[in-house]
Amino acid sequence: MRATMMYAPGDVRVENCPDPKILRPTDAIVQVTASCVCGSDLWVYRGIQALDQPKRMGHEFVGVVQEIGSEVRSAAVGDFVIAPFASSDGSCPQCRNGITTSCDRIAWYGADDLDGLPVDGGQGEFVRVPNADGTLVKAPTPDPAQVPGLLTLSDVMATGHHAAISAKAGRGRTVVVVGDGAVGLCGVLAAHRLGAERIIAMSRHASRQELATRFGATDIVIERGDEGVAKVRELLGGVLADSVLECVGTAESMAQALAVTRPGGQLGYVGVPAGGPTLPIGQLFSDNLNVAGGVAPARSYIPELLADFLAGTIDPSPVFDLTLPLEQAAEAYAAMDERRAIKVLLRP
C-alpha cells in the first residue's frame, strides 16, 4: 500500500509500505476513505520535535472496515467508521472515566504499541487499528460531502470541544480563542454550540477571520500582547474574558491566553506543547486563574458531536480548505506550514 513517511524536517515522501495484517484478535483493518495533516504534524516537519528515524505519519482518518479480529464485536466488515486520533481499549479505569487518551493500553498511530508492534500512520491507504472495540465509532455510510465533517471529529472538532469544555465556555460566558488554526476555529464553533454569549477570535488572517465569524465569533482581535489585552478589555466593557481557549501550544500563546483571562476565570488549553509553554504559578495564585485541559479524549466526545453533525447542528468541514491526493502529501505539509491552507484533506 501507499503511505506517508517523514524522513527529516521538511522531507515528506509517499512510498510503498507493507499492507497491515491482523496481529491481535482485538484488531481491525480499515481502508482509509480520507485522512489529513494535523497542526501537530508540523512540529516534526519544522524540526521542533526530534525525529531520530523515519516515521509513519498521520493520526486522523475515516474509512471502511475491511477485516476484523476474532474478538471484535462492535465493528463489522463494511462499516464506515471514525477513528479517533489515539487507540484506547474502552475498559480500563481511565477510559471508564472518559479520559481515553490516558488509556492503560493506548496506542498511537505511526508508533509502536505497548508490546512493540508497529501501528500504521493514518496518512495511508490502510490502517491496523488496535483495540478496535474501544476505539472505532460507527457512523452511517456518508454521502461524499459529509466525509470532511466526519473527519474533523477524529481530532480537531473534538479537540476544540475539549478546549471549550475545559474553559467552561457556555451560556452567559464571554470567550476568547487564542489560535486561528483548525483547532482554534473548531473551538469557536464549540463555544458557540455550548451557548457562549460573546466569542472573540484572535486572528490576523482574513480567510480565518471570515470562517471564525461563520462559526459563531462575535468579534475579531488582530492585536497581540498588551495591545491585544487592551482590545479584549475594550470589547468586554472594561473586563477580561470568563473563558479562554488556548489552541496553539507555544509560550507566547499561553502567555497571551492567561493575559486575557479575568481574575477567577477559566483557561482551557489543548495546544500541543512546543516552544516551552510554562504556567506562572504566582499569576495563577494572585488572580485565582483556573487552568484545565490537555490531550483531548476524542473517543469520549465523538458520539455527541456525531449526533449534532448528522442533525445539521454543527458543520466543522469548512476547516478543510484544500483537498489533495495522498500522493501529494508533501505539498499538503508545505501548504499548511506556509499558512496557504488551514487544514488539508488527503484522499487515497
Side-chain angles (χ1 to χ4, degrees):
M1 70 169 182
R2 302 289 282 172
T4 302
M5 298 283 293
M6 182 87 70
Y7 277 83
D11 185 0
V12 177
R13 310 177 197 177
V14 178
E15 57 189 33
N16 292 326
C17 294
D19 290 339
K21 301 181 184 301
I22 297 291
L23 300 180
R24 292 195 187 88
T26 52
D27 290 346
I29 305 297
V30 175
Q31 183 175 14
V32 176
T33 300
S35 62
C36 53
V37 179
C38 182
S40 64
D41 292 331
L42 297 180
W43 297 137
V44 181
Y45 183 79
R46 293 168 176 164
I48 296 172
Q49 289 183 350
L51 182 67
D52 55 8
Q53 61 183 2
K55 175 179 172 59
R56 293 280 293 274
M57 296 301 296
H59 51 260
E60 305 156 275
F61 62 96
V62 294
V64 178
V65 176
Q66 297 296 299
E67 186 179 356
I68 58 173
S70 61
E71 295 180 10
V72 175
R73 298 291 180 265
S74 65
V77 172
D79 284 349
F80 186 90
V81 291
I82 302 166
F85 63 85
S87 168
S88 52
D89 66 13
S91 61
C92 74
Q94 285 61 248
C95 288
R96 293 198 301 272
N97 284 322
I99 309 300
T100 54
T101 43
S102 293
C103 174
D104 288 347
R105 296 294 304 168
I106 195 165
W108 301 97
Y109 300 108
D112 290 350
D113 66 19
L114 295 177
D115 297 323
L117 297 177
V119 183
D120 305 287
Q123 295 165 12
E125 294 181 311
F126 295 89
V127 176
R128 178 180 74 88
V129 178
N131 307 309
D133 279 341
T135 301
L136 298 174
V137 179
K138 182 179 176 180
T141 300
D143 294 329
Q146 292 179 303
V147 169
L150 294 171
L151 180 56
T152 66
L153 305 186
S154 69
D155 188 343
V156 289
M157 185 61 215
T159 298
H161 178 68
H162 188 53
I165 291 291
S166 298
K168 297 186 177 178
R171 298 193 181 281
R173 304 274 288 185
T174 57
V175 176
V176 171
V177 179
V178 177
D180 63 358
V183 170
L185 292 167
C186 286
V188 170
L189 182 57
H192 180 69
R193 173 182 178 268
L194 293 170
E197 178 179 288
R198 192 91 176 257
I199 304 171
I200 300 170
M202 301 193 79
S203 173
R204 292 172 168 169
H205 301 84
S207 62
R208 298 172 189 232
Q209 294 169 1
E210 187 274 333
L211 186 51
T213 302
R214 286 174 56 189
F215 279 178
T218 56
D219 304 274
I220 302 293
V221 167
I222 63 172
E223 295 84 357
R224 295 292 183 271
D226 291 342
E227 291 183 358
V229 175
K231 186 63 177 179
V232 169
R233 194 184 296 275
E234 175 189 332
L235 288 170
L236 297 181
V239 297
L240 297 172
D242 301 319
S243 302
V244 177
L245 283 59
E246 192 286 311
C247 302
V248 183
T250 64
E252 295 78 11
S253 62
M254 181 61 80
Q256 184 73 79
L258 287 167
V260 296
T261 308
R262 68 163 173 81
Q266 189 86 17
L267 186 153
Y269 72 99
V270 294
V272 177
T278 57
L279 291 175
I281 297 301
Q283 180 185 1
L284 303 187
F285 182 84
S286 297
D287 288 340
N288 282 276
L289 299 181
N290 304 283
V291 178
V295 186
R299 178 61 181 81
S300 296
Y301 295 139
I302 289 174
E304 65 175 289
L305 296 174
L306 174 60
D308 274 10
F309 173 73
L310 294 175
T313 305
I314 59 170
D315 181 12
S317 63
V319 297
F320 290 111
D321 54 350
L322 179 61
T323 298
L324 294 172
L326 177 64
E327 293 295 330
Q328 295 183 30
E331 167 58 17
Y333 276 80
M336 286 182 60
D337 180 51
E338 297 164 10
R339 296 183 74 82
R340 292 185 280 112
I342 299 171
K343 193 168 181 68
V344 184
L345 185 147
L346 295 171
R347 296 275 192 180

